[in-house]
Amino acid sequence: MYNNRNNNFNHGPYIAKNMLIKKAEISTEQPPIVEIPDGAETGYICISVFTALGALPVENAIVTVYNILDNGEEHLHAKLLTDSSGRVPDIELPVLHDPLNPLVSPNYYFTTYNLRTQADNFYTVNVLGIRIFPGIKTNYKIDLIPLMADEKGKIPEQTFIIPPSTIDRSNE
């Protein structure tokens, strides 16, 4: 039995029962740019999208994973919408590696991808140079900043470039 300060309420504990009201519908189609050959290694990227400082999840944000081809065109790997918790399904991506190439480290190899996140009334966020390692699930939390009232109708963006590290020299 639980009592309040004045001991005038005597009742049992409150039990909350969660109910699934509506299942979120998310496009899980991932049009592959490069087909993953049999036996090829893959890595995963898990993306969550929130408002600035992670206060609230952003629903219906468009998450695009791509890379740039030699001719400068974007090569699309996945384009998904976030659900009510701000997440998209985990995205499987190929990690291209030639073990016979002496310029590639046998210990640290990866493939780089780019990520773009867009949502109504928020700045677009670009993350360039995301490294995907074979057999590893990489988590990214994207914080979107709301647009200022005078910027509505414009498409401002933020771009973050992941700088190379010493192990990147083995992948050049």
Side-chain angles (χ1 to χ4, degrees):
M1 298 293 246
Y2 292 95
N3 299 322
N4 69 356
R5 261 188 245 174
N6 300 328
N7 291 326
N8 59 359
F9 290 112
N10 241 345
H11 54 82
Y14 174 76
I15 298 174
K17 295 183 180 182
N18 294 330
M19 294 175 40
L20 181 64
I21 298 171
K22 179 181 174 185
K23 184 177 178 181
E25 295 181 23
I26 300 173
S27 170
T28 58
E29 292 181 28
Q30 296 185 44
I33 299 285
V34 179
E35 289 188 20
I36 300 173
D38 292 338
E41 294 186 275
T42 60
Y44 296 87
I45 186 167
C46 308
I47 302 167
S48 302
V49 181
F50 293 89
T51 58
L53 301 176
L56 298 169
V58 177
E59 187 175 3
N60 295 322
I62 300 169
V63 175
T64 306
V65 177
Y66 66 98
N67 58 6
I68 304 294
L69 300 175
D70 291 337
N71 63 6
E73 292 181 23
E74 285 187 8
H75 188 69
L76 180 69
H77 288 276
K79 190 170 188 174
L80 304 168
L81 286 175
T82 57
D83 62 13
S84 60
S85 63
R87 291 198 22 90
V88 296
D90 295 351
I91 302 168
E92 183 177 20
L93 297 167
V95 179
L96 306 175
H97 170 63
D98 180 5
L100 301 176
N101 184 346
L103 299 176
V104 177
S105 166
N107 298 321
Y108 304 106
Y109 59 93
F110 54 85
T111 300
T112 57
Y113 292 92
N114 299 319
L115 171 70
R116 179 173 40 248
T117 306
Q118 301 166 294
D120 290 338
N121 300 316
F122 290 94
Y123 285 95
T124 295
V125 173
N126 298 299
V127 183
L128 308 178
I130 293 174
R131 293 157 182 83
I132 302 297
F133 294 88
I136 303 291
K137 190 181 282 190
T138 305
N139 295 311
Y140 275 92
K141 181 179 154 230
I142 305 297
D143 289 331
L144 297 179
I145 297 175
L147 288 175
M148 303 280 280
D150 61 342
E151 293 179 325
K152 305 268 190 227
K154 298 178 185 177
I155 306 176
E157 34 182 71
Q158 295 179 306
T159 300
F160 301 96
I161 300 172
I162 298 175
S165 71
T166 55
I167 66 169
D168 289 351
R169 296 196 179 146
S170 64
N171 286 290
E172 291 177 349

